[in-house]
Coordinates of all heavy atoms in Angstrom, one line a residue:
E1 N 0.8 -1.3 0.0 CA 0.0 0.0 0.0 C 0.9 1.3 0.0 O 0.6 2.2 -0.8 CB -0.9 0.0 1.2 CG -1.8 1.2 1.3 CD -2.9 1.3 0.2 OE1 -3.3 0.4 -0.4 OE2 -3.2 2.4 -0.1
V2 N 1.9 1.3 0.8 CA 2.8 2.5 0.9 C 3.5 2.6 -0.4 O 3.7 3.7 -0.8 CB 3.7 2.3 2.1 CG1 4.8 3.5 2.1 CG2 3.0 2.5 3.5
D3 N 4.0 1.5 -1.0 CA 4.9 1.5 -2.3 C 3.8 2.1 -3.4 O 4.3 3.0 -4.1 CB 5.2 0.1 -2.7 CG 6.3 -0.3 -1.8 OD1 7.1 0.6 -1.3 OD2 6.6 -1.6 -1.8
K4 N 2.5 1.8 -3.3 CA 1.6 2.4 -4.3 C 1.5 3.9 -4.1 O 1.5 4.6 -5.1 CB 0.3 1.7 -4.2 CG -0.8 2.0 -5.1 CD -2.1 1.3 -4.9 CE -3.1 1.7 -5.9 NZ -4.4 1.0 -5.7
Q5 N 1.4 4.3 -2.9 CA 1.3 5.7 -2.6 C 2.6 6.5 -3.0 O 2.6 7.6 -3.6 CB 1.1 6.0 -1.1 CG -0.3 5.5 -0.6 CD -0.5 5.8 0.8 OE1 0.4 5.3 1.7 NE2 -1.6 6.3 1.3
I6 N 3.7 5.8 -2.8 CA 5.0 6.4 -3.2 C 5.1 6.5 -4.7 O 5.6 7.6 -5.2 CB 6.1 5.5 -2.7 CG1 6.3 5.5 -1.2 CG2 7.5 5.8 -3.4 CD1 7.3 4.7 -0.5
R7 N 4.6 5.5 -5.5 CA 4.7 5.6 -7.0 C 3.8 6.8 -7.4 O 4.0 7.4 -8.3 CB 4.2 4.2 -7.5 CG 5.2 3.2 -7.5 CD 5.0 1.9 -8.3 NE 3.8 1.3 -7.9 CZ 3.7 0.4 -7.0 NH1 4.7 0.1 -6.4 NH2 2.6 -0.2 -6.7
K8 N 2.6 6.9 -6.7 CA 1.7 8.0 -7.1 C 2.3 9.4 -6.9 O 2.3 10.1 -7.8 CB 0.4 7.8 -6.3 CG -0.7 8.7 -6.6 CD -1.9 8.5 -5.8 CE -2.9 9.7 -6.0 NZ -4.1 9.5 -5.1
I9 N 2.9 9.5 -5.7 CA 3.6 10.8 -5.5 C 4.7 11.0 -6.5 O 4.9 12.1 -7.0 CB 4.1 10.8 -3.9 CG1 3.1 10.6 -2.9 CG2 4.9 12.0 -3.8 CD1 2.1 11.7 -2.8
V10 N 5.5 10.0 -6.7 CA 6.6 10.2 -7.8 C 6.0 10.7 -9.1 O 6.7 11.6 -9.6 CB 7.4 8.9 -7.8 CG1 8.4 8.9 -9.1 CG2 8.2 8.6 -6.7
V11 N 4.9 10.1 -9.7 CA 4.3 10.4 -10.8 C 3.9 12.0 -10.7 O 4.2 12.8 -11.6 CB 3.2 9.6 -11.2 CG1 2.3 10.2 -12.4 CG2 3.7 8.1 -11.7
Q12 N 3.4 12.3 -9.7 CA 2.8 13.6 -9.5 C 4.0 14.7 -9.4 O 4.0 15.8 -10.0 CB 2.0 13.8 -8.2 CG 0.6 13.1 -8.3 CD -0.1 13.2 -6.9 OE1 0.4 13.5 -5.8 NE2 -1.4 12.9 -6.9
L13 N 5.1 14.2 -8.8 CA 6.3 15.1 -8.7 C 6.8 15.3 -10.1 O 7.3 16.4 -10.4 CB 7.3 14.5 -7.8 CG 7.4 14.8 -6.3 CD1 8.3 13.8 -5.6 CD2 7.7 16.2 -6.1
E14 N 6.9 14.2 -10.9 CA 7.5 14.4 -12.2 C 6.5 15.3 -13.1 O 7.0 16.2 -13.9 CB 7.4 13.1 -13.0 CG 8.7 12.2 -12.3 CD 8.4 10.6 -12.9 OE1 7.5 10.4 -13.6 OE2 9.4 10.0 -12.5
E15 N 5.3 15.3 -12.9 CA 4.3 16.2 -13.5 C 4.6 17.6 -13.1 O 4.7 18.5 -14.0 CB 2.8 15.8 -13.4 CG 2.3 14.6 -14.1 CD 1.1 14.1 -13.6 OE1 0.4 14.8 -12.8 OE2 0.8 13.0 -14.0
V16 N 4.7 17.7 -11.8 CA 4.9 19.2 -11.3 C 6.2 19.8 -11.8 O 6.4 21.0 -12.2 CB 4.9 19.3 -9.8 CG1 5.3 20.6 -9.2 CG2 3.3 18.9 -9.4
E17 N 7.3 18.9 -11.9 CA 8.6 19.3 -12.4 C 8.5 19.9 -13.7 O 9.2 20.7 -14.2 CB 9.6 18.2 -12.1 CG 10.0 18.0 -10.6 CD 10.8 16.7 -10.4 OE1 11.0 16.0 -11.2 OE2 11.2 16.6 -9.1
G18 N 7.7 19.0 -14.6 CA 7.6 19.5 -15.9 C 6.9 20.7 -16.1 O 7.3 21.5 -16.9
K19 N 5.9 21.0 -15.2 CA 5.2 22.2 -15.4 C 6.2 23.5 -14.9 O 6.2 24.6 -15.5 CB 4.0 22.2 -14.4 CG 2.9 21.4 -15.0 CD 1.7 21.3 -14.1 CE 0.6 20.3 -14.7 NZ -0.4 20.2 -13.9
I20 N 7.0 23.0 -13.9 CA 8.0 24.1 -13.4 C 8.9 24.5 -14.5 O 9.2 25.6 -14.8 CB 8.7 23.6 -12.1 CG1 7.8 23.7 -11.0 CG2 9.9 24.5 -11.8 CD1 8.3 22.9 -9.7
E21 N 9.4 23.4 -15.2 CA 10.3 23.7 -16.4 C 9.6 24.5 -17.4 O 10.3 25.5 -17.9 CB 10.9 22.3 -16.9 CG 11.8 21.7 -16.0 CD 12.2 20.3 -16.5 OE1 11.9 20.0 -17.7 OE2 12.7 19.5 -15.8
E22 N 8.4 24.2 -17.7 CA 7.7 25.0 -18.8 C 7.6 26.4 -18.4 O 7.8 27.4 -19.1 CB 6.4 24.5 -18.9 CG 6.4 23.1 -19.7 CD 4.9 22.5 -19.8 OE1 3.9 23.2 -19.6 OE2 4.8 21.3 -20.1
V23 N 7.1 26.7 -17.1 CA 6.9 28.1 -16.7 C 8.2 28.9 -16.6 O 8.3 30.0 -17.0 CB 6.2 28.1 -15.4 CG1 6.1 29.5 -14.7 CG2 4.8 27.5 -15.5
E24 N 9.3 28.1 -16.1 CA 10.6 28.9 -16.1 C 11.1 29.2 -17.4 O 11.7 30.3 -17.7 CB 11.7 27.9 -15.3 CG 11.4 27.8 -13.8 CD 12.4 27.0 -13.1 OE1 12.8 25.9 -13.7 OE2 12.6 27.0 -11.9
A25 N 10.9 28.4 -18.4 CA 11.3 28.6 -19.8 C 10.5 29.7 -20.4 O 11.1 30.6 -21.0 CB 11.1 27.3 -20.8
E26 N 9.2 29.9 -20.1 CA 8.5 31.0 -20.5 C 8.8 32.3 -19.8 O 9.0 33.3 -20.5 CB 7.0 30.8 -20.2 CG 6.1 31.9 -20.9 CD 6.0 31.8 -22.3 OE1 6.6 31.0 -23.1 OE2 5.5 32.9 -22.8
I27 N 9.1 32.2 -18.5 CA 9.7 33.4 -17.8 C 11.0 33.9 -18.4 O 11.2 35.0 -18.6 CB 9.8 33.1 -16.3 CG1 8.4 33.0 -15.7 CG2 10.6 34.2 -15.7 CD1 8.4 32.6 -14.2
S28 N 11.9 32.9 -18.7 CA 13.1 33.4 -19.3 C 13.0 33.9 -20.6 O 13.7 34.8 -21.0 CB 14.0 32.1 -19.4 OG 14.4 31.5 -18.1
R29 N 12.1 33.5 -21.3 CA 11.8 34.0 -22.8 C 11.2 35.6 -22.6 O 11.8 36.3 -23.4 CB 10.7 33.1 -23.4 CG 10.4 33.5 -25.0 CD 9.3 32.8 -25.5 NE 8.1 33.1 -25.0 CZ 7.3 34.1 -25.4 NH1 7.9 35.0 -26.1 NH2 6.3 34.5 -24.9
L30 N 10.3 35.7 -21.6 CA 9.9 37.0 -21.4 C 11.0 38.0 -20.8 O 11.1 39.2 -21.3 CB 8.7 37.1 -20.5 CG 7.4 36.4 -21.1 CD1 6.2 36.6 -20.0 CD2 6.9 37.1 -22.2
D31 N 11.9 37.4 -19.9 CA 13.1 38.1 -19.4 C 13.9 38.6 -20.6 O 14.5 39.7 -20.7 CB 13.7 37.3 -18.5 CG 13.2 37.3 -17.1 OD1 12.4 38.1 -16.8 OD2 13.5 36.3 -16.3
A32 N 14.2 37.7 -21.6 CA 15.0 38.0 -22.7 C 14.4 39.1 -23.6 O 15.1 40.0 -24.1 CB 15.4 36.7 -23.4
K33 N 13.1 38.9 -23.8 CA 12.4 39.8 -24.7 C 12.4 41.3 -24.0 O 12.7 42.3 -24.6 CB 10.9 39.5 -24.8 CG 10.5 38.8 -25.9 CD 9.0 38.5 -25.9 CE 8.4 39.1 -27.2 NZ 7.1 38.7 -27.4
F34 N 12.2 41.4 -22.6 CA 12.3 42.6 -21.9 C 13.7 43.2 -21.9 O 13.9 44.4 -21.9 CB 11.7 42.4 -20.5 CG 11.6 43.7 -19.8 CD1 10.6 44.7 -20.2 CD2 12.3 43.9 -18.7 CE1 10.4 45.8 -19.5 CE2 12.2 45.2 -18.0 CZ 11.2 46.2 -18.4
A35 N 14.7 42.3 -21.8 CA 16.2 42.8 -21.7 C 16.6 43.3 -23.1 O 17.5 44.1 -23.2 CB 17.0 41.6 -21.3
N36 N 16.0 42.8 -24.2 CA 16.2 43.3 -25.5 C 15.1 44.0 -26.2 O 14.4 43.6 -26.9 CB 16.7 42.1 -26.4 CG 17.3 42.5 -27.6 OD1 17.4 43.7 -28.0 ND2 17.7 41.5 -28.4
P37 N 14.9 45.4 -25.7 CA 13.7 46.0 -26.1 C 13.5 46.2 -27.7 O 12.5 46.7 -28.0 CB 13.7 47.3 -25.4 CG 15.2 47.5 -25.0 CD 15.8 46.0 -24.8
D38 N 14.6 45.9 -28.4 CA 14.4 46.1 -29.9 C 13.5 45.1 -30.5 O 13.1 45.3 -31.7 CB 15.8 46.1 -30.5 CG 16.8 47.2 -30.0 OD1 16.1 48.3 -29.7 OD2 17.9 47.1 -30.1
E39 N 13.2 44.0 -29.8 CA 12.4 43.0 -30.4 C 10.8 43.2 -30.0 O 10.4 43.0 -28.9 CB 12.8 41.7 -29.7 CG 14.1 41.2 -30.2 CD 14.5 39.8 -29.5 OE1 13.5 39.1 -29.2 OE2 15.8 39.5 -29.6
G40 N 10.1 43.4 -31.0 CA 8.6 43.5 -30.9 C 8.0 44.1 -29.7 O 8.2 45.2 -29.4
D41 N 7.1 43.3 -29.0 CA 6.4 43.7 -27.9 C 7.3 44.3 -26.9 O 6.7 45.2 -26.1 CB 5.7 42.5 -27.4 CG 4.7 41.8 -28.3 OD1 4.5 42.5 -29.3 OD2 4.4 40.7 -28.1
A42 N 8.4 43.9 -26.6 CA 9.3 44.3 -25.5 C 9.7 45.8 -25.6 O 10.1 46.5 -24.9 CB 10.4 43.5 -25.3
A43 N 9.7 46.3 -27.0 CA 10.1 47.6 -27.3 C 9.0 48.6 -26.6 O 9.4 49.7 -26.2 CB 10.1 48.0 -28.7
N44 N 7.9 48.1 -26.4 CA 6.8 48.8 -25.7 C 6.0 48.1 -24.8 O 4.9 47.8 -25.1 CB 5.9 49.4 -26.8 CG 5.6 50.9 -26.7 OD1 5.9 51.5 -25.6 ND2 5.2 51.6 -27.7
P45 N 6.6 47.6 -23.7 CA 5.8 46.7 -22.8 C 4.6 47.3 -22.4 O 4.6 48.5 -22.0 CB 6.9 46.4 -21.7 CG 7.9 47.4 -21.9 CD 7.8 47.9 -23.2
D46 N 3.5 46.6 -22.3 CA 2.3 47.0 -21.9 C 1.8 46.2 -20.8 O 2.5 45.4 -20.2 CB 1.3 47.1 -23.0 CG 1.0 45.8 -23.7 OD1 1.6 44.7 -23.1 OD2 0.2 45.6 -24.6
Y47 N 0.6 46.6 -20.4 CA -0.1 45.9 -19.2 C -0.3 44.4 -19.4 O 0.1 43.6 -18.5 CB -1.6 46.5 -19.0 CG -2.1 45.8 -17.8 CD1 -1.8 46.0 -16.5 CD2 -3.2 44.8 -18.2 CE1 -2.5 45.4 -15.5 CE2 -3.9 44.2 -17.1 CZ -3.6 44.5 -15.9 OH -4.1 43.8 -14.7
A48 N -0.6 44.1 -20.7 CA -0.7 42.5 -21.0 C 0.7 41.8 -20.7 O 0.6 40.8 -20.2 CB -1.2 42.3 -22.3
F49 N 1.7 42.4 -21.2 CA 3.2 41.9 -21.1 C 3.4 41.6 -19.6 O 3.7 40.5 -19.1 CB 4.2 42.8 -21.7 CG 5.6 42.3 -21.5 CD1 6.1 41.4 -22.6 CD2 6.3 42.5 -20.5 CE1 7.3 41.0 -22.5 CE2 7.6 42.2 -20.4 CZ 8.3 41.4 -21.4
F50 N 3.3 42.7 -18.7 CA 3.5 42.6 -17.4 C 2.6 41.7 -16.6 O 2.9 41.0 -15.6 CB 3.5 43.9 -16.7 CG 4.7 44.7 -17.1 CD1 4.7 45.8 -17.9 CD2 6.0 44.3 -16.8 CE1 5.8 46.5 -18.3 CE2 7.1 45.1 -17.2 CZ 7.1 46.2 -17.9
S51 N 1.3 41.8 -17.0 CA 0.3 40.8 -16.6 C 0.6 39.4 -16.7 O 0.5 38.6 -15.9 CB -1.1 41.2 -17.1 OG -2.1 40.3 -16.5
K52 N 1.0 39.0 -18.0 CA 1.3 37.8 -18.4 C 2.7 37.3 -17.5 O 2.7 36.1 -16.9 CB 1.8 37.6 -19.8 CG 2.3 36.3 -20.3 CD 1.2 35.2 -20.2 CE 1.7 33.9 -20.7 NZ 0.9 32.8 -20.5
Y53 N 3.4 38.2 -17.3 CA 4.8 38.0 -16.6 C 4.4 37.6 -15.1 O 5.0 36.7 -14.5 CB 5.7 39.0 -16.6 CG 7.0 38.8 -16.1 CD1 8.0 38.1 -16.8 CD2 7.4 39.3 -14.8 CE1 9.3 38.0 -16.2 CE2 8.7 39.0 -14.3 CZ 9.7 38.4 -15.0 OH 10.8 38.3 -14.5
Q54 N 3.6 38.5 -14.5 CA 3.2 38.3 -13.1 C 2.4 37.0 -12.9 O 2.6 36.2 -12.0 CB 2.4 39.5 -12.6 CG 2.0 39.3 -11.2 CD 3.4 39.2 -10.2 OE1 4.3 40.1 -10.5 NE2 3.4 38.3 -9.4
E55 N 1.6 36.6 -13.8 CA 0.8 35.3 -13.9 C 1.7 34.2 -13.8 O 1.6 33.3 -13.2 CB -0.1 35.3 -15.0 CG -0.9 34.2 -15.2 CD -1.9 34.0 -16.4 OE1 -2.3 35.1 -16.8 OE2 -2.0 33.0 -17.0
L56 N 2.8 34.3 -14.7 CA 3.7 33.2 -14.8 C 4.4 33.1 -13.4 O 4.7 31.9 -13.0 CB 4.7 33.4 -15.8 CG 4.1 33.1 -17.2 CD1 5.1 33.6 -18.4 CD2 3.8 31.7 -17.5
K57 N 4.8 34.2 -12.8 CA 5.6 34.0 -11.6 C 4.7 33.5 -10.4 O 5.1 32.7 -9.7 CB 6.0 35.5 -11.3 CG 7.0 36.0 -12.0 CD 8.4 35.4 -11.8 CE 9.5 36.3 -11.6 NZ 10.8 35.7 -11.3
D58 N 3.3 33.8 -10.6 CA 2.4 33.3 -9.6 C 2.2 31.9 -9.8 O 2.1 31.0 -8.8 CB 1.0 34.0 -9.7 CG 1.1 35.5 -9.2 OD1 2.1 35.9 -8.5 OD2 0.1 36.2 -9.6
D59 N 2.2 31.4 -11.1 CA 2.0 30.0 -11.3 C 3.2 29.3 -10.9 O 3.2 28.2 -10.2 CB 1.9 29.7 -12.8 CG 0.6 30.1 -13.4 OD1 -0.3 30.3 -12.5 OD2 0.4 30.2 -14.7
L60 N 4.5 29.9 -11.0 CA 5.8 29.1 -10.5 C 5.8 29.0 -9.1 O 6.0 28.0 -8.6 CB 6.9 30.0 -11.0 CG 8.4 29.4 -10.7 CD1 8.5 28.0 -11.3 CD2 9.4 30.3 -11.2
N61 N 5.2 30.0 -8.3 CA 5.2 29.8 -6.9 C 4.2 28.8 -6.5 O 4.5 28.1 -5.5 CB 4.7 31.2 -6.3 CG 6.0 32.3 -6.3 OD1 7.0 32.0 -6.4 ND2 5.4 33.6 -6.3
V62 N 3.1 28.6 -7.1 CA 2.2 27.7 -6.9 C 2.8 26.3 -7.1 O 2.7 25.3 -6.3 CB 0.8 27.8 -7.7 CG1 -0.1 26.5 -7.5 CG2 0.1 29.0 -7.2
F63 N 3.4 26.0 -8.3 CA 4.0 24.8 -8.7 C 5.2 24.4 -7.7 O 5.3 23.3 -7.2 CB 4.6 24.9 -10.1 CG 3.4 24.8 -11.0 CD1 3.5 25.6 -12.2 CD2 2.2 24.0 -11.0 CE1 2.4 25.5 -13.2 CE2 1.2 24.0 -11.9 CZ 1.3 24.9 -12.9
M64 N 5.9 25.4 -7.3 CA 7.1 25.2 -6.3 C 6.6 24.7 -4.9 O 7.1 23.9 -4.4 CB 7.9 26.6 -6.2 CG 8.7 26.8 -7.4 SD 9.9 25.6 -8.0 CE 11.1 26.0 -6.9
K65 N 5.5 25.4 -4.6 CA 4.8 24.9 -3.3 C 4.4 23.5 -3.3 O 4.5 22.8 -2.4 CB 3.8 26.0 -2.8 CG 3.0 25.6 -1.7 CD 3.7 25.8 -0.3 CE 2.9 25.5 0.8 NZ 3.3 24.4 1.7
R66 N 3.7 23.2 -4.5 CA 3.2 22.0 -4.7 C 4.3 20.9 -4.7 O 4.2 19.8 -4.0 CB 2.3 21.8 -6.0 CG 1.8 20.5 -6.3 CD 0.6 20.0 -5.4 NE 0.0 18.8 -5.8 CZ -0.4 18.0 -4.9 NH1 -0.2 18.2 -3.6 NH2 -0.7 16.7 -5.4
W67 N 5.4 21.2 -5.4 CA 6.6 20.4 -5.4 C 7.1 20.2 -3.9 O 7.5 19.1 -3.6 CB 7.6 21.0 -6.2 CG 8.8 20.1 -6.5 CD1 9.2 19.0 -7.4 CD2 10.1 20.2 -5.6 NE1 10.3 18.5 -7.1 CE2 10.9 19.1 -6.1 CE3 10.4 20.9 -4.5 CZ2 12.1 18.8 -5.4 CZ3 11.6 20.6 -3.9 CH2 12.4 19.7 -4.4
E68 N 7.2 21.2 -3.2 CA 7.6 21.1 -1.8 C 6.8 20.0 -1.0 O 7.3 19.3 -0.3 CB 7.6 22.5 -1.2 CG 8.9 23.1 -0.9 CD 8.7 24.5 -0.2 OE1 8.1 24.4 1.0 OE2 9.0 25.4 -0.8
D69 N 5.4 20.3 -1.1 CA 4.6 19.5 -0.3 C 4.6 18.0 -0.8 O 4.6 17.3 0.1 CB 3.1 20.0 -0.5 CG 2.9 21.3 0.1 OD1 3.6 21.9 0.8 OD2 1.7 22.0 -0.4
L70 N 4.6 17.8 -2.1 CA 4.9 16.4 -2.6 C 6.2 15.8 -2.1 O 6.2 14.6 -1.7 CB 4.8 16.4 -4.1 CG 3.3 16.5 -4.6 CD1 3.4 16.8 -6.2 CD2 2.3 15.5 -4.2
S71 N 7.2 16.6 -2.1 CA 8.5 16.1 -1.7 C 8.5 15.7 -0.2 O 9.1 14.6 0.2 CB 9.6 17.2 -1.9 OG 9.9 17.3 -3.4
L72 N 7.9 16.5 0.6 CA 7.8 16.2 1.9 C 7.0 14.9 2.2 O 7.2 14.0 3.1 CB 7.2 17.3 2.9 CG 8.0 18.6 3.0 CD1 7.2 19.7 3.6 CD2 9.3 18.2 3.9
E73 N 5.9 14.8 1.4 CA 4.8 13.7 1.6 C 5.6 12.4 1.3 O 5.5 11.4 1.8 CB 3.7 13.9 0.8 CG 2.6 12.8 0.9 CD 1.3 13.1 0.2 OE1 1.2 14.3 -0.3 OE2 0.6 12.2 0.0
L74 N 6.5 12.5 0.1 CA 7.3 11.4 -0.4 C 8.3 10.9 0.7 O 8.4 9.7 1.0 CB 8.0 11.8 -1.7 CG 8.8 10.7 -2.3 CD1 8.0 9.5 -2.6 CD2 9.6 11.2 -3.5
E75 N 8.9 11.8 1.4 CA 10.1 11.5 2.4 C 9.2 10.8 3.6 O 9.7 9.8 4.1 CB 10.7 12.7 2.9 CG 11.6 13.3 1.8 CD 12.6 12.3 1.3 OE1 13.2 11.5 2.0 OE2 12.8 12.2 0.0
E76 N 8.1 11.4 3.9 CA 7.2 10.8 5.1 C 7.0 9.3 4.8 O 7.1 8.4 5.6 CB 6.1 11.6 5.4 CG 6.4 13.0 6.0 CD 5.2 13.8 6.1 OE1 4.0 13.4 5.7 OE2 5.3 15.0 6.6
L77 N 6.5 9.1 3.5 CA 6.1 7.8 3.1 C 7.4 6.8 3.1 O 7.2 5.6 3.4 CB 5.3 7.7 1.7 CG 3.9 8.4 1.7 CD1 3.5 8.6 0.3 CD2 3.0 7.4 2.5
K78 N 8.4 7.2 2.6 CA 9.6 6.4 2.4 C 10.0 6.1 4.0 O 10.3 4.9 4.1 CB 10.9 7.2 1.9 CG 10.6 7.2 0.3 CD 11.7 7.9 -0.4 CE 11.6 7.7 -1.9 NZ 12.8 8.6 -2.5
A79 N 10.0 7.1 4.9 CA 10.3 6.8 6.2 C 9.3 5.6 6.9 O 9.7 4.9 7.6 CB 10.3 8.0 7.0
K80 N 8.0 5.9 6.6 CA 7.0 4.9 7.1 C 7.2 3.5 6.6 O 7.1 2.6 7.2 CB 5.7 5.5 6.6 CG 4.5 4.9 7.1 CD 3.2 5.5 6.6 CE 2.0 4.8 7.1 NZ 0.8 5.4 6.6
R81 N 7.7 3.5 5.2 CA 7.9 2.2 4.6 C 9.1 1.5 5.3 O 9.0 0.3 5.4 CB 8.2 2.3 3.2 CG 8.5 1.0 2.4 CD 8.7 1.2 1.0 NE 9.9 2.0 0.8 CZ 10.5 2.4 -0.3 NH1 9.8 2.2 -1.5 NH2 11.5 3.0 -0.4
N82 N 10.1 2.2 5.7 CA 11.2 1.6 6.3 C 11.1 1.3 7.8 O 12.0 0.8 8.5 CB 12.4 2.6 6.1 CG 12.8 2.7 4.7 OD1 12.7 1.9 4.0 ND2 13.4 3.8 4.4
L83 N 9.9 1.5 8.3 CA 9.8 1.2 9.7 C 9.5 -0.3 10.0 O 9.1 -1.1 9.2 CB 8.4 1.8 10.4 CG 8.6 3.3 10.5 CD1 7.3 4.0 11.1 CD2 9.8 3.8 11.5

């Protein structure tokens, strides 16, 4: 039973890690656009640009918290299994 829960948590962790990577890549892309204002939208950043950026940062925080929670749960289950 514990092994089944561990596998489930591992799958969830992998999914969250994938989402974190996606969001970080998008944030990096927007950072690069903003750092090089000669490129399109970044030459004149508007509310939508900053709104999208903040949304991504918020999403990243949510995914990081989820990753933390799952990691702690995984460690607890592993400790429980080893009793």
Side-chain angles (χ1 to χ4, degrees):
E1 179 63 32
V2 173
D3 286 337
K4 184 177 179 182
Q5 289 175 315
I6 288 173
R7 284 191 300 276
K8 182 178 175 185
I9 298 291
V10 167
V11 168
Q12 290 175 346
L13 271 170
E14 290 170 355
E15 290 172 359
V16 170
E17 288 168 354
K19 289 177 182 177
I20 289 170
E21 288 175 13
E22 288 174 18
V23 171
E24 286 177 332
E26 185 66 14
I27 288 171
S28 292
R29 189 183 69 75
L30 290 179
D31 282 340
K33 268 182 118 173
F34 189 66
N36 189 359
D38 294 335
E39 292 183 15
D41 299 342
N44 229 345
D46 60 5
Y47 177 78
F49 180 89
F50 290 111
S51 178
K52 176 68 175 171
Y53 188 82
Q54 188 58 52
E55 181 183 323
L56 288 167
K57 291 292 228 176
D58 292 344
D59 288 348
L60 182 59
N61 286 334
V62 168
F63 291 136
M64 293 297 282
K65 175 70 173 121
R66 180 71 179 138
W67 182 88
E68 250 180 66
D69 293 344
L70 287 169
S71 294
L72 288 172
E73 190 175 345
L74 180 61
E75 291 306 313
E76 289 171 4
L77 286 171
K78 285 181 176 179
K80 187 177 180 181
R81 179 181 66 185
N82 293 331
L83 291 179

